[in-house]
Amino acid sequence: RILGKFGARLAQLRTRADARIDLWGGKDSEFCRLEITARNKEILESAVALCEELNQTLQNAFQEFLAEVSGGQAAPSNKTREEACAGGNTATADAGERPRQGVRKKLLKLKRASPRFDIGKQLCGCSRENLTHIEDQTGARLKVIPATETSNCILEVSGPNEECIAEAVPLAKDLISTVWSRYERWFAKTAAK
């Protein structure tokens, strides 16, 4: 229900909030968690408010559903936000890059490439479309760690469990292979000039 058909509701929420909103859990566990990453505190607070609004809408719909299936008996009232936070049933707002408990990571290191090609930008695609495609298919989160003078570019794949990572890594490797082939063609043309 949070995602909507083909993830439409979550995509709309991301657009309205102008923030990164990831959904963790909810498949094999009773609870799911929304993680929000924003450029600044104002955007973060706005995104949290939108997520809380969505959460309240979903809770109300669930209460109505419970009332229907229980023959009109009202379901127990919703927890307060403080009670939900204490129980782990809430959206999590994270403005920084703090490590998240229970998240697994796999680092895919790329070969050294010319900085003029900007391999990180090529991996992301226009508006992160390449990464978002893999994220939407697998539930994993992808992040490009740019190259520095002493280290190569890295594509970080993270997720709530090993299955999620195992599903995303082959797709990420295919993306890397495609971008690397594009780089080799670009490099050959550039060297020929």
Side-chain angles (χ1 to χ4, degrees):
R1 290 266 331 230
I2 288 177
L3 292 174
K5 190 173 184 178
F6 303 112
R9 180 178 279 159
L10 190 57
Q12 181 184 29
L13 188 62
R14 286 174 177 153
T15 302
R16 284 180 59 202
D18 192 29
R20 174 96 184 143
I21 301 173
D22 293 306
L23 178 67
W24 297 101
K27 289 182 181 177
D28 297 328
S29 62
E30 184 178 342
F31 302 112
C32 62
R33 176 174 63 110
L34 288 173
E35 180 180 281
I36 306 166
T37 308
R39 291 187 306 274
N40 59 47
K41 187 176 180 179
E42 184 179 292
I43 292 173
L44 177 64
E45 289 172 353
S46 173
V48 168
L50 288 170
C51 288
E52 286 175 340
E53 180 182 312
L54 172 63
N55 185 39
Q56 189 61 51
T57 301
L58 292 173
Q59 285 182 14
N60 292 342
F62 183 66
Q63 292 300 319
E64 290 173 15
F65 167 77
L66 288 178
E68 277 181 33
V69 296
S70 64
Q73 295 285 330
S77 63
N78 295 334
K79 294 179 180 179
T80 66
R81 181 174 178 187
E82 290 74 25
E83 290 171 322
C85 287
N89 182 20
T90 187
T92 301
D94 187 2
E97 285 293 319
R98 296 187 315 235
R100 296 174 306 277
Q101 198 171 23
V103 174
R104 313 287 193 282
K105 290 183 182 180
K106 173 88 173 163
L107 301 178
L108 303 174
K109 297 178 184 176
L110 281 73
K111 299 174 193 171
R112 175 77 58 190
S114 169
R116 293 185 307 158
F117 183 73
D118 196 354
I119 201 158
K121 186 175 181 180
Q122 297 294 323
L123 284 169
C124 289
C126 182
S127 300
R128 290 189 86 252
E129 68 184 353
N130 296 339
L131 304 183
T132 302
H133 175 73
I134 295 172
E135 291 170 341
D136 289 346
Q137 282 191 334
T138 64
R141 183 172 180 191
L142 281 76
K143 176 181 174 184
V144 173
I145 302 169
T148 65
E149 289 183 17
T150 58
S151 68
N152 294 359
C153 182
I154 296 172
L155 182 58
E156 177 186 286
V157 181
S158 61
N161 55 50
E162 294 298 329
E163 294 79 23
C164 180
I165 301 290
E167 192 177 342
V169 165
L171 296 174
K173 286 182 176 180
D174 285 347
L175 173 61
I176 290 169
S177 177
T178 300
V179 170
W180 192 257
S181 295
R182 196 178 308 150
Y183 170 73
E184 287 176 333
R185 288 191 302 273
W186 173 86
F187 188 78
K189 285 180 186 177
T190 307
K193 291 181 180 180

PDB file of all heavy atoms in Angstrom, residues 30-31 55-56 59 63 76-90:
ATOM      1  N   GLU A  30       6.802  -7.537  10.171  1.00  0.00           N
ATOM      2  CA  GLU A  30       5.534  -6.878  10.448  1.00  0.00           C
ATOM      3  C   GLU A  30       5.611  -5.386  10.147  1.00  0.00           C
ATOM      4  O   GLU A  30       4.646  -4.786   9.728  1.00  0.00           O
ATOM      5  CB  GLU A  30       5.187  -7.106  11.919  1.00  0.00           C
ATOM      6  CG  GLU A  30       3.847  -6.559  12.324  1.00  0.00           C
ATOM      7  CD  GLU A  30       3.538  -6.865  13.768  1.00  0.00           C
ATOM      8  OE1 GLU A  30       4.167  -7.748  14.352  1.00  0.00           O
ATOM      9  OE2 GLU A  30       2.658  -6.181  14.298  1.00  0.00           O
ATOM     10  N   PHE A  31       6.757  -4.780  10.356  1.00  0.00           N
ATOM     11  CA  PHE A  31       6.891  -3.343  10.209  1.00  0.00           C
ATOM     12  C   PHE A  31       7.757  -2.989   9.017  1.00  0.00           C
ATOM     13  O   PHE A  31       8.621  -3.749   8.614  1.00  0.00           O
ATOM     14  CB  PHE A  31       7.537  -2.733  11.464  1.00  0.00           C
ATOM     15  CG  PHE A  31       6.763  -3.010  12.714  1.00  0.00           C
ATOM     16  CD1 PHE A  31       7.270  -3.834  13.690  1.00  0.00           C
ATOM     17  CD2 PHE A  31       5.520  -2.435  12.905  1.00  0.00           C
ATOM     18  CE1 PHE A  31       6.555  -4.085  14.839  1.00  0.00           C
ATOM     19  CE2 PHE A  31       4.800  -2.681  14.048  1.00  0.00           C
ATOM     20  CZ  PHE A  31       5.314  -3.511  15.028  1.00  0.00           C
ATOM     21  N   ASN A  55       1.476   8.019   6.456  1.00  0.00           N
ATOM     22  CA  ASN A  55       1.346   7.010   7.498  1.00  0.00           C
ATOM     23  C   ASN A  55      -0.039   7.078   8.143  1.00  0.00           C
ATOM     24  O   ASN A  55      -0.685   6.055   8.354  1.00  0.00           O
ATOM     25  CB  ASN A  55       2.449   7.190   8.545  1.00  0.00           C
ATOM     26  CG  ASN A  55       2.448   6.097   9.584  1.00  0.00           C
ATOM     27  OD1 ASN A  55       2.230   4.936   9.272  1.00  0.00           O
ATOM     28  ND2 ASN A  55       2.687   6.466  10.830  1.00  0.00           N
ATOM     29  N   GLN A  56      -0.505   8.287   8.435  1.00  0.00           N
ATOM     30  CA  GLN A  56      -1.823   8.452   9.055  1.00  0.00           C
ATOM     31  C   GLN A  56      -2.934   7.982   8.112  1.00  0.00           C
ATOM     32  O   GLN A  56      -3.868   7.305   8.528  1.00  0.00           O
ATOM     33  CB  GLN A  56      -2.058   9.905   9.459  1.00  0.00           C
ATOM     34  CG  GLN A  56      -3.306  10.110  10.290  1.00  0.00           C
ATOM     35  CD  GLN A  56      -3.252   9.329  11.595  1.00  0.00           C
ATOM     36  OE1 GLN A  56      -2.284   9.404  12.335  1.00  0.00           O
ATOM     37  NE2 GLN A  56      -4.291   8.556  11.873  1.00  0.00           N
ATOM     38  N   GLN A  59      -2.869   4.219   8.162  1.00  0.00           N
ATOM     39  CA  GLN A  59      -3.397   3.709   9.430  1.00  0.00           C
ATOM     40  C   GLN A  59      -4.920   3.813   9.458  1.00  0.00           C
ATOM     41  O   GLN A  59      -5.605   2.885   9.901  1.00  0.00           O
ATOM     42  CB  GLN A  59      -2.794   4.463  10.609  1.00  0.00           C
ATOM     43  CG  GLN A  59      -1.364   4.082  10.899  1.00  0.00           C
ATOM     44  CD  GLN A  59      -0.797   4.805  12.110  1.00  0.00           C
ATOM     45  OE1 GLN A  59      -1.522   5.401  12.894  1.00  0.00           O
ATOM     46  NE2 GLN A  59       0.514   4.746  12.260  1.00  0.00           N
ATOM     47  N   GLN A  63      -7.513   0.767   9.792  1.00  0.00           N
ATOM     48  CA  GLN A  63      -8.534   0.714  10.852  1.00  0.00           C
ATOM     49  C   GLN A  63      -9.916   0.458  10.256  1.00  0.00           C
ATOM     50  O   GLN A  63     -10.697  -0.324  10.797  1.00  0.00           O
ATOM     51  CB  GLN A  63      -8.529   2.014  11.667  1.00  0.00           C
ATOM     52  CG  GLN A  63      -7.283   2.238  12.503  1.00  0.00           C
ATOM     53  CD  GLN A  63      -7.060   1.142  13.537  1.00  0.00           C
ATOM     54  OE1 GLN A  63      -7.988   0.685  14.175  1.00  0.00           O
ATOM     55  NE2 GLN A  63      -5.811   0.728  13.685  1.00  0.00           N
ATOM     56  N   PRO A  76      -8.392  -1.390  17.940  1.00  0.00           N
ATOM     57  CA  PRO A  76      -7.725  -0.569  18.937  1.00  0.00           C
ATOM     58  C   PRO A  76      -7.205   0.726  18.320  1.00  0.00           C
ATOM     59  O   PRO A  76      -6.848   0.764  17.144  1.00  0.00           O
ATOM     60  CB  PRO A  76      -6.554  -1.441  19.407  1.00  0.00           C
ATOM     61  CG  PRO A  76      -6.886  -2.822  18.979  1.00  0.00           C
ATOM     62  CD  PRO A  76      -7.820  -2.712  17.825  1.00  0.00           C
ATOM     63  N   SER A  77      -7.179   1.781  19.101  1.00  0.00           N
ATOM     64  CA  SER A  77      -6.755   3.080  18.580  1.00  0.00           C
ATOM     65  C   SER A  77      -5.285   3.058  18.188  1.00  0.00           C
ATOM     66  O   SER A  77      -4.510   2.238  18.676  1.00  0.00           O
ATOM     67  CB  SER A  77      -6.985   4.166  19.624  1.00  0.00           C
ATOM     68  OG  SER A  77      -6.190   3.906  20.760  1.00  0.00           O
ATOM     69  N   ASN A  78      -4.916   3.986  17.311  1.00  0.00           N
ATOM     70  CA  ASN A  78      -3.542   4.086  16.840  1.00  0.00           C
ATOM     71  C   ASN A  78      -2.620   4.497  17.971  1.00  0.00           C
ATOM     72  O   ASN A  78      -3.004   5.218  18.876  1.00  0.00           O
ATOM     73  CB  ASN A  78      -3.438   5.135  15.721  1.00  0.00           C
ATOM     74  CG  ASN A  78      -4.215   4.717  14.499  1.00  0.00           C
ATOM     75  OD1 ASN A  78      -4.425   3.539  14.269  1.00  0.00           O
ATOM     76  ND2 ASN A  78      -4.653   5.692  13.733  1.00  0.00           N
ATOM     77  N   LYS A  79      -1.390   4.051  17.891  1.00  0.00           N
ATOM     78  CA  LYS A  79      -0.390   4.471  18.867  1.00  0.00           C
ATOM     79  C   LYS A  79      -0.060   5.936  18.654  1.00  0.00           C
ATOM     80  O   LYS A  79      -0.154   6.446  17.545  1.00  0.00           O
ATOM     81  CB  LYS A  79       0.908   3.677  18.670  1.00  0.00           C
ATOM     82  CG  LYS A  79       0.806   2.215  18.958  1.00  0.00           C
ATOM     83  CD  LYS A  79       2.146   1.575  18.693  1.00  0.00           C
ATOM     84  CE  LYS A  79       2.128   0.092  18.957  1.00  0.00           C
ATOM     85  NZ  LYS A  79       3.423  -0.521  18.677  1.00  0.00           N
ATOM     86  N   THR A  80       0.373   6.582  19.715  1.00  0.00           N
ATOM     87  CA  THR A  80       0.886   7.938  19.551  1.00  0.00           C
ATOM     88  C   THR A  80       2.235   7.847  18.871  1.00  0.00           C
ATOM     89  O   THR A  80       2.845   6.775  18.820  1.00  0.00           O
ATOM     90  CB  THR A  80       1.055   8.636  20.915  1.00  0.00           C
ATOM     91  OG1 THR A  80       2.081   7.948  21.641  1.00  0.00           O
ATOM     92  CG2 THR A  80      -0.240   8.668  21.700  1.00  0.00           C
ATOM     93  N   ARG A  81       2.713   8.959  18.362  1.00  0.00           N
ATOM     94  CA  ARG A  81       4.002   8.949  17.681  1.00  0.00           C
ATOM     95  C   ARG A  81       5.111   8.487  18.624  1.00  0.00           C
ATOM     96  O   ARG A  81       5.986   7.735  18.256  1.00  0.00           O
ATOM     97  CB  ARG A  81       4.311  10.346  17.145  1.00  0.00           C
ATOM     98  CG  ARG A  81       5.624  10.359  16.407  1.00  0.00           C
ATOM     99  CD  ARG A  81       5.896  11.654  15.739  1.00  0.00           C
ATOM    100  NE  ARG A  81       7.205  11.514  15.112  1.00  0.00           N
ATOM    101  CZ  ARG A  81       7.849  12.462  14.546  1.00  0.00           C
ATOM    102  NH1 ARG A  81       7.332  13.643  14.459  1.00  0.00           N
ATOM    103  NH2 ARG A  81       9.021  12.258  14.019  1.00  0.00           N
ATOM    104  N   GLU A  82       5.068   8.938  19.896  1.00  0.00           N
ATOM    105  CA  GLU A  82       6.105   8.563  20.854  1.00  0.00           C
ATOM    106  C   GLU A  82       6.084   7.060  21.121  1.00  0.00           C
ATOM    107  O   GLU A  82       7.112   6.414  21.192  1.00  0.00           O
ATOM    108  CB  GLU A  82       5.924   9.339  22.173  1.00  0.00           C
ATOM    109  CG  GLU A  82       6.227  10.818  22.070  1.00  0.00           C
ATOM    110  CD  GLU A  82       5.150  11.625  21.325  1.00  0.00           C
ATOM    111  OE1 GLU A  82       3.976  11.192  21.277  1.00  0.00           O
ATOM    112  OE2 GLU A  82       5.502  12.675  20.776  1.00  0.00           O
ATOM    113  N   GLU A  83       4.865   6.483  21.239  1.00  0.00           N
ATOM    114  CA  GLU A  83       4.756   5.042  21.456  1.00  0.00           C
ATOM    115  C   GLU A  83       5.279   4.286  20.245  1.00  0.00           C
ATOM    116  O   GLU A  83       5.966   3.279  20.385  1.00  0.00           O
ATOM    117  CB  GLU A  83       3.302   4.650  21.709  1.00  0.00           C
ATOM    118  CG  GLU A  83       2.755   5.113  23.023  1.00  0.00           C
ATOM    119  CD  GLU A  83       1.249   4.893  23.112  1.00  0.00           C
ATOM    120  OE1 GLU A  83       0.546   5.073  22.101  1.00  0.00           O
ATOM    121  OE2 GLU A  83       0.802   4.526  24.202  1.00  0.00           O
ATOM    122  N   ALA A  84       4.945   4.776  19.067  1.00  0.00           N
ATOM    123  CA  ALA A  84       5.400   4.118  17.842  1.00  0.00           C
ATOM    124  C   ALA A  84       6.914   4.173  17.735  1.00  0.00           C
ATOM    125  O   ALA A  84       7.543   3.199  17.358  1.00  0.00           O
ATOM    126  CB  ALA A  84       4.763   4.769  16.618  1.00  0.00           C
ATOM    127  N   CYS A  85       7.503   5.305  18.067  1.00  0.00           N
ATOM    128  CA  CYS A  85       8.959   5.438  18.000  1.00  0.00           C
ATOM    129  C   CYS A  85       9.623   4.465  18.965  1.00  0.00           C
ATOM    130  O   CYS A  85      10.620   3.842  18.643  1.00  0.00           O
ATOM    131  CB  CYS A  85       9.401   6.870  18.333  1.00  0.00           C
ATOM    132  SG  CYS A  85       9.030   8.037  17.029  1.00  0.00           S
ATOM    133  N   ALA A  86       9.052   4.328  20.150  1.00  0.00           N
ATOM    134  CA  ALA A  86       9.627   3.426  21.142  1.00  0.00           C
ATOM    135  C   ALA A  86       9.549   1.983  20.660  1.00  0.00           C
ATOM    136  O   ALA A  86      10.419   1.177  20.937  1.00  0.00           O
ATOM    137  CB  ALA A  86       8.901   3.579  22.474  1.00  0.00           C
ATOM    138  N   GLY A  87       8.500   1.665  19.897  1.00  0.00           N
ATOM    139  CA  GLY A  87       8.331   0.302  19.408  1.00  0.00           C
ATOM    140  C   GLY A  87       8.971   0.049  18.061  1.00  0.00           C
ATOM    141  O   GLY A  87       8.924  -1.045  17.550  1.00  0.00           O
ATOM    142  N   GLY A  88       9.541   1.033  17.441  1.00  0.00           N
ATOM    143  CA  GLY A  88      10.199   0.856  16.152  1.00  0.00           C
ATOM    144  C   GLY A  88       9.253   0.895  14.971  1.00  0.00           C
ATOM    145  O   GLY A  88       9.613   0.520  13.878  1.00  0.00           O
ATOM    146  N   ASN A  89       8.022   1.351  15.150  1.00  0.00           N
ATOM    147  CA  ASN A  89       7.044   1.376  14.068  1.00  0.00           C
ATOM    148  C   ASN A  89       6.831   2.810  13.592  1.00  0.00           C
ATOM    149  O   ASN A  89       5.781   3.387  13.778  1.00  0.00           O
ATOM    150  CB  ASN A  89       5.721   0.782  14.573  1.00  0.00           C
ATOM    151  CG  ASN A  89       4.662   0.731  13.492  1.00  0.00           C
ATOM    152  OD1 ASN A  89       4.982   0.779  12.321  1.00  0.00           O
ATOM    153  ND2 ASN A  89       3.419   0.645  13.888  1.00  0.00           N
ATOM    154  N   THR A  90       7.857   3.391  12.999  1.00  0.00           N
ATOM    155  CA  THR A  90       7.743   4.782  12.584  1.00  0.00           C
ATOM    156  C   THR A  90       8.681   5.063  11.426  1.00  0.00           C
ATOM    157  O   THR A  90       9.596   4.298  11.169  1.00  0.00           O
ATOM    158  CB  THR A  90       8.059   5.727  13.772  1.00  0.00           C
ATOM    159  OG1 THR A  90       7.783   7.058  13.365  1.00  0.00           O
ATOM    160  CG2 THR A  90       9.483   5.632  14.221  1.00  0.00           C
TER     161      THR A  90
END
